[in-house]
Amino acid sequence: FSNEAQMTAKSLYAGMAGLVLLAGCASGAPARPSDFARRVATLVEGSDVPGLAVAVVHHGELVYAHGFGWRDPARTAPMTVDTVQMWFSCSKIVTATAAVRLAQQGRLDLDRPLVSYLADHGLRGPGVERLTARHLLSHTSGLPNPIPLRWMRLDSEIAEPRTDFYRRLIAEHGELRSLPGETMAYSNLNYLVLARVIEVTSGQSFEDYVQDQVLMPLGMRRTGFGPADRWGEDVAVPAMKEWRPYTWAVEWMVDGKILSGSAHGYRILHPFTVSEPAWGGLKGSVRDAAGLLNMQLGHDGGRVLLPAWRREMQRPVTIRDGAPAKSALGWHRRSDNLGTYLKHTGAAAGATAELRIYPDLDLGIAVFANASGTWTPVAPATSTVADLAAQTWGRPVSVASLSPQVGTSH
């Protein structure tokens, strides 16, 4: 979705404050964790975000984890580092990890034609016979990315059978728009197809394989698929700021039964689930996300991915005549003044998320917020906070200022 055209004076102030603070970190002395907490609290207080949680891992340790604001717009309970939130498209990092683990186990060849695993995949177009799991993982398949109209359901509803959902979407949108490997173009459909590949090659449901082979080995016990109430009361309530173009657009796109009441200027949503778990259905805590990032940085003792396969997942893919794309397997590759980093964001109705790792700095950052359309003049609030965290922990500061900090502010 595009940047919001209108902002309240408080949101504008918070965004400009974030810009000034980030500029201060990028030039001059690095910020200390105490400064980071103050700056994030200021940003959250003045932005469109009811609550936000941050976790930072550095050299294999959880050096910072903190909740800011509220887990519900009614302001009855604080956001914590264990609050379960919607991952949306950040789920793709877990899906990609599962696929690469299958390759490590010798059950999936990332470069073998897809038809070897899914004879009835239903995809069409020139070059489809050359389509591979690597193309799906890196968004170089050529598949389109249709607007996700009503691809969600209430937690209380019975899900449409997965095979029916797959066939319906592929029948309508399964025509390749470019040759596989020719260009990088983001598409949720890549991970719809990839989920079926994982099921066929693992002999398990997608959810069971991810749970058994990725989440449980990493101790991610407050992360998974399905209704949010399985994790008890510490679950974020999805929300959108009222009187925003983004909110109006989402209200048009989603099924009206997902919309609930209002509180403190927010449009509240009933608990819901994304129809396809592989592309956006994960729910979990920022503390659990920190464990996933530590694994991606090589600090899980090889329980999920061995070093060679972890590097394979993070290596940039090539397109056309060997030109590097801005993608890896699941990850997007970017760079800033600290160097190359890999990231994925997630944003849809009622929540925003970002995962980021700097392999050369051994640094990982996770930021989850329980609102969508959380834009400042700089970037979505989650990205603004991730940038600030990178500048805080990605450059040398005194050892005394880097003691682990875990807590909640509201």
Side-chain angles (χ1 to χ4, degrees):
F1 297 102
S2 62
N3 196 348
E4 297 182 24
Q6 300 179 0
M7 293 183 180
T8 62
K10 285 186 74 177
S11 296
L12 182 61
Y13 166 79
M16 294 306 296
L19 176 60
V20 171
L21 293 169
L22 285 170
C25 285
S27 61
R32 295 172 179 268
S34 57
D35 298 328
F36 172 81
R38 176 178 55 80
R39 292 168 179 179
V40 175
T42 299
L43 182 63
V44 171
E45 181 181 356
S47 74
D48 291 347
V49 185
L52 180 148
V54 190
V56 180
V57 292
H58 199 203
H59 300 308
E61 299 292 333
L62 180 65
V63 297
Y64 189 88
H66 208 87
F68 299 86
W70 308 91
R71 73 173 186 235
D72 64 328
R75 302 179 181 176
T76 62
M79 180 72 77
T80 76
V81 296
D82 295 311
T83 299
V84 171
Q85 303 196 59
M86 314 265 302
W87 287 40
F88 289 134
S89 283
C90 285
S91 306
K92 292 182 176 73
I93 298 302
V94 170
T95 301
T97 300
V100 174
R101 179 161 173 79
L102 280 165
Q104 176 180 285
Q105 293 170 334
R107 302 158 83 178
L108 172 63
D109 186 334
L110 299 179
D111 298 304
R112 186 176 177 182
L114 195 67
V115 69
S116 302
Y117 303 105
L118 295 177
D120 61 342
H121 55 63
L123 303 175
R124 309 169 298 281
V128 70
E129 70 282 355
R130 302 203 308 267
L131 188 63
T132 68
R134 188 181 299 276
H135 293 134
L136 299 174
L137 284 161
S138 59
H139 298 285
T140 57
S141 67
L143 280 167
N145 191 33
I147 297 174
L149 289 172
R150 293 171 170 78
W151 293 355
M152 54 188 68
R153 68 179 188 278
L154 291 171
D155 278 358
S156 58
E157 288 184 306
I158 298 175
E160 177 182 5
R162 293 277 290 281
T163 53
D164 292 352
F165 182 71
Y166 178 95
R167 289 168 182 162
R168 178 163 61 85
L169 264 61
I170 295 303
E172 187 173 356
H173 305 292
E175 183 88 25
L176 303 191
R177 293 187 174 179
S178 61
L179 292 172
E182 184 176 77
T183 188
M184 187 269 180
Y186 189 87
S187 173
N188 284 314
L189 298 182
N190 288 313
Y191 281 69
L192 173 73
V193 180
L194 190 62
R196 291 198 68 199
V197 174
I198 289 172
E199 291 187 330
V200 168
T201 54
S202 70
Q204 295 180 264
S205 71
F206 168 78
E207 294 93 328
D208 285 348
Y209 183 80
V210 168
Q211 191 78 23
D212 294 346
Q213 300 292 320
V214 180
L215 303 181
M216 285 299 98
L218 295 177
M220 298 173 67
R221 290 176 173 79
R222 288 188 62 78
T223 299
F225 304 101
D229 60 8
R230 60 178 284 196
W231 290 285
E233 294 184 354
D234 195 2
V235 176
V237 176
M240 301 179 293
K241 193 71 175 176
E242 291 186 308
W243 305 107
R244 296 286 188 274
Y246 177 95
T247 301
W248 299 332
V250 171
E251 289 180 347
W252 173 76
M253 290 172 59
V254 304
D255 194 320
K257 62 191 172 187
I258 289 176
L259 302 173
S260 181
S262 298
H264 294 281
Y266 290 96
R267 194 77 160 96
I268 300 172
L269 286 75
H270 290 298
F272 69 91
T273 295
V274 175
S275 298
E276 175 49 59
W279 77 44
L282 205 63
K283 301 171 185 176
S285 71
V286 76
R287 190 196 299 269
D288 278 3
L292 175 71
L293 299 182
N294 250 341
M295 180 274 294
Q296 288 285 334
L297 291 167
H299 296 292
D300 72 323
R303 287 193 302 264
V304 175
L305 293 181
L306 297 173
W309 287 102
R310 178 170 48 80
R311 289 192 294 270
E312 180 69 13
M313 184 172 173
Q314 298 170 14
R315 181 170 60 86
V317 298
T318 56
I319 54 177
R320 296 190 181 93
D321 299 325
K326 291 185 177 181
S327 65
L329 303 187
W331 291 106
H332 303 299
R333 293 179 62 87
R334 300 290 186 268
S335 62
D336 60 15
N337 65 307
L338 299 173
T340 298
Y341 65 92
L342 296 98
K343 69 176 286 186
H344 210 298
T345 58
T352 314
E354 180 158 340
L355 300 177
R356 188 184 297 193
I357 58 171
Y358 290 78
D360 292 342
L361 300 176
D362 202 3
L363 175 67
I365 302 160
V367 187
F368 295 166
N370 61 335
S372 51
T374 57
W375 288 80
T376 70
V378 191
T382 46
S383 293
T384 302
V385 172
D387 285 340
L388 184 54
Q391 299 300 328
T392 300
W393 280 273
R395 300 197 296 161
V397 295
S398 66
V399 174
S401 70
L402 289 177
S403 58
Q405 300 184 35
V406 180
T408 300
S409 297
H410 59 89

